[in-house]
Amino acid sequence: MPDDIRLPPADPAPPPPASHGAGIDWLVPCPEGLYCPPGDFWIDPTRAKPRAIVTHGHADHARPGHGAVLATPETLAIMAARFGPDQVRGQPLGYGERLTVGDVSVMLAPAGHVLGSAQIVITHRGRTAVVSGDYKRRADPTCPAFEPVPCDLFITEATFALPVFRHPPAAGEIAKLLHGLEVFPDRAHLVGVYALGKCQRVIRMIRDAGYDRPIYIHGALAPLSTLYENLGVPLGPLLPVAGRARADLAGELVLAPPGAVADRWARRLPDPLVAVASGWMGVRQRAKQRGAELPLVISDHADWDELLQTLSDLRPEETWITHGREDALAHAAAGMGLHARPLRLAGYGDEDDDSPADPAGPQPAGPQPASTGG
């Protein structure tokens, strides 16, 4: 487990090309996101726009107030639950379906990040660009797996784009958690999870490991967990922590947002054993900051090997890299004989979302803080 991850690439990244790569000059990086002029739409814009295509429901990619939104039905449902139905005027597009938007063809392909997450596949003048959003290559029982789509231009995240990030199998991390219940049967096992995606994935993996007892959840996790079940992801019996006697939670699994793990809220639990599920738990300093006695390295992002595997599978003429360790991945791509450059777009978190399903209610329009998970 490394102590810190502020590691520079071995050599400087190659300089950005003077012109657009892959013959694609119709996808333009702007301060507020990617803009497609021939389709007159934005992809995951950080400000409200007349027309937006949204890759998934995390707060750094999905914003309220757009005039019209194109996304998967699941992402539209998540946005409506988070922002309120009146803030989301959307058109659903299923995976594999094609739609003409302006002068371009648009298709959505699974990204494997969270329920409803999609890669945006844009074809124009015989050239194809894929905006992957956030993605992972690992199996996830709560969403369809990532599908590599042949393309001329591939736009990839770089959240965990350093060689120190090689995530272990998630099933082994869940086994550690369940083993803790056997070793410490009198302690509540408090697991910090993000409300959208991580919570439901961890619950589903716990169920798949054979745990069929009720799981107790913080109130902030309930709305999106209910939505996942309504969208066809069974989670088994979930009970609220509120109203439970302290003694009743001994030896039980309790899930809460990471912010609640170190809050007064956690004091209602009997001798809690604190676990946090995040790709960042492979970094000793991060685990210590979170107060994790049991760090669980479970990520909803591609790790270093998965990022390189994806570039190797696709071998696009041009790769653009955004939100994360951009220079390190650009340098590795150059070593593979690929042409890549960092985009350095602002406003996108390099981690998962910590804010959906806020018990205070729908979030207001306007810029939101970067997210804080992994």
Side-chain angles (χ1 to χ4, degrees), residues 262-302:
D263 189 67
R264 290 187 305 170
W265 181 89
R267 297 176 188 173
R268 71 185 68 190
L269 305 177
D271 191 17
L273 187 156
V274 174
V276 175
S278 169
W280 296 110
M281 290 300 99
V283 179
R284 185 178 290 106
Q285 183 180 5
R286 291 289 188 107
K288 183 178 180 180
Q289 288 172 347
R290 287 292 191 183
E293 183 176 348
L294 180 60
L296 302 175
V297 186
I298 301 175
S299 178
D300 287 328
H301 295 266

Side-chain angles (χ1 to χ4, degrees), residues 79-119:
M79 291 177 68
R82 293 187 60 233
F83 305 132
D86 60 331
Q87 287 289 325
V88 183
R89 292 174 289 278
Q91 177 177 348
L93 187 66
Y95 294 130
E97 298 177 359
R98 284 197 175 271
L99 182 69
T100 299
V101 182
D103 292 332
V104 305
S105 171
V106 174
M107 184 184 77
L108 303 184
H113 179 55
V114 298
L115 183 64
S117 60
Q119 303 172 78

Side-chain angles (χ1 to χ4, degrees), residues 19 32 34 37 67 77 79 89 92 107 119 124 196 205 216 245 258 277 307 320 323 347:
S19 60
E32 59 266 54
L34 291 167
M79 291 177 68
R89 292 174 289 278
M107 184 184 77
Q119 303 172 78
H124 181 56
L196 173 55
M205 288 192 298
Y216 293 85
L307 291 167
W320 294 353
H323 61 286

Side-chain angles (χ1 to χ4, degrees), residues 7-363:
L7 304 178
D11 295 298
S19 60
H20 293 277
I24 292 176
D25 58 1
W26 42 262
L27 198 58
V28 183
C30 299
E32 59 266 54
L34 291 167
Y35 177 59
C36 180
D40 191 23
F41 60 79
W42 295 79
I43 299 172
D44 290 352
T46 59
R47 304 176 190 170
K49 295 293 181 180
R51 296 204 295 179
I53 301 180
V54 174
T55 60
H56 67 282
H58 279 142
D60 56 336
H61 292 256
R63 312 285 175 134
H66 299 309
V69 174
L70 183 69
T72 63
E74 296 84 357
T75 292
L76 290 175
I78 289 166
M79 291 177 68
R82 293 187 60 233
F83 305 132
D86 60 331
Q87 287 289 325
V88 183
R89 292 174 289 278
Q91 177 177 348
L93 187 66
Y95 294 130
E97 298 177 359
R98 284 197 175 271
L99 182 69
T100 299
V101 182
D103 292 332
V104 305
S105 171
V106 174
M107 184 184 77
L108 303 184
H113 179 55
V114 298
L115 183 64
S117 60
Q119 303 172 78
I120 314 302
V121 184
I122 309 167
T123 302
H124 181 56
R125 298 198 302 241
R127 309 293 277 174
T128 297
V130 172
V131 184
S132 63
D134 291 337
Y135 67 96
K136 67 176 180 292
R137 305 294 299 266
R138 309 286 178 104
D140 183 336
T142 68
C143 64
F146 176 91
E147 293 182 4
V149 179
C151 56
D152 304 292
L153 168 64
F154 183 63
I155 301 178
T156 179
E157 63 146 308
T159 302
F160 290 108
L162 286 175
V164 296
F165 292 117
R166 289 183 164 95
H167 300 143
E173 302 300 283
I174 294 297
K176 293 178 186 177
L177 176 63
L178 297 180
H179 179 67
L181 287 172
E182 298 175 4
V183 175
F184 302 106
D186 297 327
R187 302 181 68 182
H189 282 54
L190 175 58
V191 187
V193 291
Y194 297 92
L196 173 55
K198 188 65 61 64
C199 169
Q200 298 78 24
R201 182 185 176 200
V202 166
I203 291 173
R204 189 61 259 166
M205 288 192 298
I206 289 170
R207 299 303 187 197
D208 291 346
Y211 188 89
D212 57 6
R213 293 170 55 188
I215 295 174
Y216 293 85
I217 61 173
H218 186 286
L221 304 182
L224 287 177
S225 295
T226 298
L227 180 61
Y228 261 62
E229 293 215 286
N230 292 341
L231 293 173
V233 181
L235 301 177
L238 304 178
L239 298 176
V241 175
R244 304 288 165 180
R246 182 186 180 92
D248 291 343
L249 296 172
E252 301 291 349
L253 280 176
V254 180
L255 271 59
V261 167
D263 189 67
R264 290 187 305 170
W265 181 89
R267 297 176 188 173
R268 71 185 68 190
L269 305 177
D271 191 17
L273 187 156
V274 174
V276 175
S278 169
W280 296 110
M281 290 300 99
V283 179
R284 185 178 290 106
Q285 183 180 5
R286 291 289 188 107
K288 183 178 180 180
Q289 288 172 347
R290 287 292 191 183
E293 183 176 348
L294 180 60
L296 302 175
V297 186
I298 301 175
S299 178
D300 287 328
H301 295 266
D303 69 1
W304 177 250
D305 291 330
E306 292 172 78
L307 291 167
L308 298 186
Q309 176 193 345
T310 303
L311 295 184
S312 178
D313 288 345
L314 297 175
R315 299 202 67 81
E317 292 182 26
E318 178 82 7
T319 300
W320 294 353
I321 305 169
T322 184
H323 61 286
R325 279 71 193 163
E326 300 176 2
D327 289 338
L329 188 57
H331 174 75
M336 299 168 64
L338 301 176
H339 194 201
R341 67 180 178 110
L343 285 191
R344 309 197 192 285
L345 295 179
Y348 299 94
D350 63 354
E351 309 164 10
D352 285 350
D353 187 277
D354 193 16
S355 57
D358 189 325
Q363 299 175 22

